[in-house]
Amino acid sequence: MQARVLLVSSEAVPLVKTGGLADVITALAVSLRHAGIDASILMPAYPEAVRKLGDTVQIGLRNGLPGGAGRLLRGTIPGTDVPVLLLDTARFRQRGANPYLDTDGTEFADNAVCFADLSHAAVAICAGETSLPVPHVVHANDWHAGLIPCLLKLRGLDHIGTMLTIHNLAFQGNFALSSAEQVGIPQHLLTGDGVEYWGKLSFLKAGIRFSDCVSTVSRNYAHEIMTPRFGCGMDGILSFRKLDLRAIPNAIDAALWNPADDALIARNFSIGNMKGKSACKRDLQKLFGLPVDPFAPVMGLGSRISHQKMADVVIQSLPGIIARHARLQVVVLGCGDHEYEKDFQALAQRYPGRIAVHIGYDERRAHALHAGSDMLLHPTRFEPFGLTPLYAMRYGAIPIGSRVGGLVDTVCDADLDPQRATGVLFDGDTVDDMQQAVARAFALYGDSERWQAMQRNAMAVDCDWAGPTRAYIEAYAEVADMAVRPWFVPRPQPVERPAAHAQVQHERLAKPAAAIAAALANVVGTPAGVAA
């Protein structure tokens, strides 16, 4: 028998992606399956997701959902063997490129009902109200799936283990208390001890309060979210659950993001042969309409264009950075707040040949950005993990990031440990803080021997899914019903995989037990006051 885990998320690559959550969900599901866990994904049937999924089988829901009729579409994530269930409702069919915001950047008025439907669909599967196998554990991700643990307990389905992962505490799914009845939350839970949060119904608080265990995506962030500064008002409830709070760092698909055989970059390169990176710089300059100059330092910026990511500070800092560092070229890739987007576009017009901006996201440009940049600017006011700096490091682009959250765990500052350095970290969120950090990076860039050593360190960082996968499986085993706990044992299975990178993941997970244990000890760790 296999242990069954249902991952519930609002997005997953390649179906829909607005941020790192989508990368994590699919990569984790792939890795779990290679470890012998029957993992599947449940997410909304946005039109883009349905189109990209292709052939599906319809599965009925015995009872209705809070928002009305719905059905499940079953398929397989392209390029993997991961089963995916798309919840098809009239509301989800109306969602566009951004599934949470309208074209004006305003949250959809029916978000509460839409994502309550997703949670109720998961509960229906757990209750045996579909033709699908009942999962042993439901892994809810972020507020979009936050109602699941609460709804399962209301239904008396205590034999289904639940886990909530907080990928970003700032997004909480807070709605008017008047919506509670429609989404299936009874009046007696609308209290401070239940799901009420500053006069609102909070989907995320419901998940934190009622899940069997809670996890977040880096050790340092696990510390931070229990403090007033980073707790976003949830530090109290998180401190209350601290014995059930785990720190399981994210990882990346190290085979997909690999400059040695990346099909999306102009020329492959590796730690032992960096010649191809020059060709990738030339390709990036052409792709973004910048002058082709092999001697021009290129600084990339690839993330959501938002207040969290210090877009306001970057916009104010770039004129001074451009003036101070001759020949510097800046490449911006991302989308987000419309006003910030306009400000970046205005900078590109003001500094033609020095700043180039592409509003939007696509995989080709993302891979080209990391492969062709010399450094990556990644400022942020808070950062649960930070996938983008890891992508950059894999391609020898040195991150310049904020000393917060997961970046503290993944980026080794050049001044803190010169021998192991992989980047530059800075404190604060002022123009001067950022400009000084960039100046420090340029001083290192001018020392070719030290810079190349940093590149080698960065490209050699172990960031694959073997350790985190083992940690998730251990968490599932603890929350699962006693009768099925023995099934949660990582056991790599030599089966055919449709994608080349899946075989690489399988080989990594097939390492001797001692190697996996060592990786787990290095990657997961246990912060003080946080349960392992």
Side-chain angles (χ1 to χ4, degrees), residues 399-462:
I400 308 167
S402 300
R403 201 187 312 272
V404 295
L407 297 183
V408 174
D409 299 334
T410 56
V411 179
C412 182
D413 183 75
D415 286 351
L416 183 65
D417 190 341
Q419 299 304 312
R420 296 174 52 248
T422 59
V424 171
L425 295 179
F426 67 95
D427 298 298
D429 60 356
T430 69
V431 169
D432 188 55
D433 295 329
M434 186 175 295
Q435 290 182 344
Q436 285 189 29
V438 172
R440 189 152 64 95
F442 266 83
L444 292 164
Y445 183 75
D447 183 341
S448 59
E449 184 175 342
R450 191 172 178 190
W451 186 262
Q452 289 167 15
M454 288 177 64
Q455 286 182 309
R456 289 192 295 271
N457 290 343
M459 295 175 73
V461 167
D462 181 7

Side-chain angles (χ1 to χ4, degrees), residues 26-272:
T26 300
L28 175 58
V30 167
S31 193
L32 287 169
R33 292 184 69 82
H34 294 170
I37 304 297
D38 184 4
S40 56
I41 296 171
L42 169 65
M43 62 175 284
Y46 314 117
E48 182 182 2
V50 175
R51 177 179 60 81
K52 289 183 177 177
L53 186 59
D55 294 338
T56 59
V57 175
Q58 295 183 26
I59 298 173
L61 292 169
R62 190 177 304 167
N63 301 312
L65 300 168
R71 61 177 182 169
L72 297 171
L73 306 177
R74 190 178 193 277
T76 304
I77 295 283
T80 77
D81 66 343
V82 177
V84 62
L85 300 163
L86 301 184
L87 175 61
D88 182 30
T89 68
R91 284 185 169 86
F92 280 136
R93 285 183 218 126
Q94 297 172 17
R95 299 297 165 112
N98 188 313
Y100 321 116
L101 309 175
D102 63 21
T103 53
D104 294 326
T106 304
E107 290 187 11
F108 288 111
D110 62 353
N111 270 351
V113 177
C114 272
F115 290 101
D117 281 347
L118 184 66
S119 289
H120 279 271
V123 173
I125 295 169
C126 292
E129 295 174 358
T130 71
S131 59
L132 297 163
V134 174
H136 301 115
V137 172
V138 176
H139 183 172
N141 291 272
D142 275 345
W143 73 262
H144 318 94
L147 291 186
I148 294 172
C150 179
L151 295 173
L152 285 172
K153 284 180 169 51
L154 288 170
R155 290 284 298 271
L157 298 172
D158 294 324
H159 62 289
I160 308 292
T162 57
M163 180 175 189
L164 172 77
T165 295
I166 300 168
H167 296 268
N168 193 331
L169 189 63
F171 300 101
Q172 301 175 343
N174 300 326
F175 304 101
L177 287 176
S178 58
S179 64
E181 182 178 0
Q182 184 179 10
V183 302
I185 300 300
Q187 189 70 30
H188 74 269
L189 289 182
L190 301 181
T191 65
D193 189 47
V195 302
E196 182 269 340
Y197 171 81
W198 295 99
K200 299 281 189 178
L201 162 63
S202 175
F203 281 35
L204 185 64
K205 185 180 178 183
I208 296 170
R209 175 68 179 81
F210 291 103
S211 60
D212 295 323
C213 80
V214 181
S215 74
T216 193
V217 292
S218 70
R219 293 186 298 274
N220 194 50
Y221 193 59
H223 284 294
E224 290 179 341
I225 60 177
M226 290 189 289
T227 68
R229 179 185 174 190
F230 292 102
C232 302
M234 295 281 184
D235 47 296
I237 183 69
L238 286 164
S239 295
F240 176 75
R241 295 298 312 270
K242 68 179 180 180
L243 295 179
D244 304 307
L245 176 61
R246 293 169 176 258
I248 305 179
N250 277 336
I252 66 173
D253 187 332
L256 182 64
W257 293 91
N258 182 4
D261 59 10
D262 189 341
L264 295 178
I265 63 176
R267 183 176 170 185
N268 297 127
F269 59 94
S270 63
I271 295 177

